[in-house]
Amino acid sequence: FGTTAMLSCLSRRGIGFVRPVQLMSRQLSTRCSLILPTHKLQDLRPSLETMDELGRSILTLQHPFALQLGGTLPSVSLSWEEWGPKDGPVVLIVPSLSSGSHVAVTEKNKEDGWWEKMVGPGKWIDTTKYRVISPNVLGSTYGLTSPASINPETGKLYGKFFPQITTADQASLVKLLLDHLQIDRIEAIIGASLGGMIVLQFAVHFADIAEKVVVISSTAKTTAGTVAIRSVQRAAVLADPDLCDGDYREQGKWPTHGMKVARMLGLISYRSRTEFDTRFNHRVRRQEKQKQKQK
């Protein structure tokens, strides 16, 4: 999703000028009326850092994590991956909803990352120059506290009882990771889609940390039309009997059909008029079939 859009923000010499974070923070702050809970790493100790078999570092904060809309998580675990020199300028890459922290190949995980063409030695985000960090976001199933993880208070999956979170909560956890790594300034923070929303929240609440921001295919505010589409997507999932009122894992079932319909609806909102004409215009499709027959 990002190569073309990134070209205006990056150069072979490194991260290019995007926009002063302080200016953008003032403009965006008017849209963030809710107060973000204050989290300080010293208040969340003891914490424990480990590493899994894929080379992802895991930090567990063994203390309640207050949420923007109220309520808390009894403890939070987050994971991340790193590339490049430890003493290099820091570039933070925040994944989208369907992506994890595996941006590029690492020493312990040789599988191609989702941004392999952009991140690596001599590439647009040059890991011989920059210290690149990519965290998994709060609520993601890629190795972090989420509905698919165990609630330490009950010993069962959070499932449908996972509290409502916001992009501000996700940005706050990213800040705690930087505190843990003792990083107080970063060269740039980059995100696309949901990751871009988290980046914008980060720029609002922690404007003195990031020198530059890169936001791709994202927004600071959802439209009424977007909210309407998402409500139909949720209805599609809820209508699937295999959802089992949110207990599908315990029942050994998966709401596959509802998820497929929801995804189809989502994809409609991602397409351009040109692509719709190509895919669904009967005249164009007939012409393509005729060309194939002639071959």
Side-chain angles (χ1 to χ4, degrees), residues 277-295:
D277 288 342
T278 302
R279 286 193 173 201
F280 301 109
N281 187 300
H282 293 296
R283 184 180 63 182
V284 173
R285 295 180 72 177
R286 282 197 298 269
Q287 291 174 349
E288 291 178 349
K289 289 181 179 180
Q290 290 175 355
K291 289 181 181 179
Q292 292 176 355
K293 289 181 179 179
Q294 291 174 357
K295 293 180 180 180

Side-chain angles (χ1 to χ4, degrees), residues 218-291:
S218 192
T219 181
K221 182 180 180 181
T222 56
T223 65
T226 300
V227 174
I229 291 174
R230 300 298 173 255
S231 68
V232 178
Q233 288 182 284
R234 288 195 298 273
V237 177
L238 291 171
D240 191 328
D242 287 340
L243 182 65
C244 302
D245 192 32
D247 298 324
Y248 57 91
R249 285 176 177 265
E250 289 81 353
Q251 301 295 326
K253 297 182 178 181
W254 298 90
T256 306
H257 179 71
M259 291 294 292
K260 283 183 178 179
V261 174
R263 186 61 175 169
M264 290 167 66
L265 285 167
L267 288 173
I268 289 175
S269 68
Y270 305 156
R271 306 303 179 185
S272 66
R273 172 67 180 271
T274 302
E275 185 172 356
F276 274 122
D277 288 342
T278 302
R279 286 193 173 201
F280 301 109
N281 187 300
H282 293 296
R283 184 180 63 182
V284 173
R285 295 180 72 177
R286 282 197 298 269
Q287 291 174 349
E288 291 178 349
K289 289 181 179 180
Q290 290 175 355
K291 289 181 181 179

Side-chain angles (χ1 to χ4, degrees), residues 181-197:
L181 297 175
Q182 298 182 343
I183 297 172
D184 54 14
R185 292 287 294 174
I186 59 178
E187 182 73 14
I189 180 168
I190 303 170
S193 190
L194 172 63
M197 298 177 196

Side-chain angles (χ1 to χ4, degrees), residues 61-82:
L61 305 174
Q62 299 173 326
H63 188 282
F65 182 82
L67 301 172
Q68 187 183 35
L69 298 181
T72 61
L73 288 165
S75 67
V76 175
S77 294
L78 67 153
S79 60
W80 72 96
E81 295 180 56
E82 291 193 39

Side-chain angles (χ1 to χ4, degrees), residues 174-216:
V174 171
K175 173 61 166 59
L176 283 177
L177 172 61
L178 293 178
D179 290 345
H180 172 72
L181 297 175
Q182 298 182 343
I183 297 172
D184 54 14
R185 292 287 294 174
I186 59 178
E187 182 73 14
I189 180 168
I190 303 170
S193 190
L194 172 63
M197 298 177 196
I198 297 170
V199 166
L200 290 173
Q201 285 284 1
F202 190 94
V204 168
H205 296 293
F206 311 110
D208 58 338
I209 296 176
E211 184 70 24
K212 307 176 185 74
V213 299
V214 180
V215 178
I216 309 166

Side-chain angles (χ1 to χ4, degrees), residues 97-108:
L97 177 65
S98 57
S99 301
S101 62
H102 193 58
V103 173
V105 166
T106 63
E107 184 177 342
K108 290 191 176 183

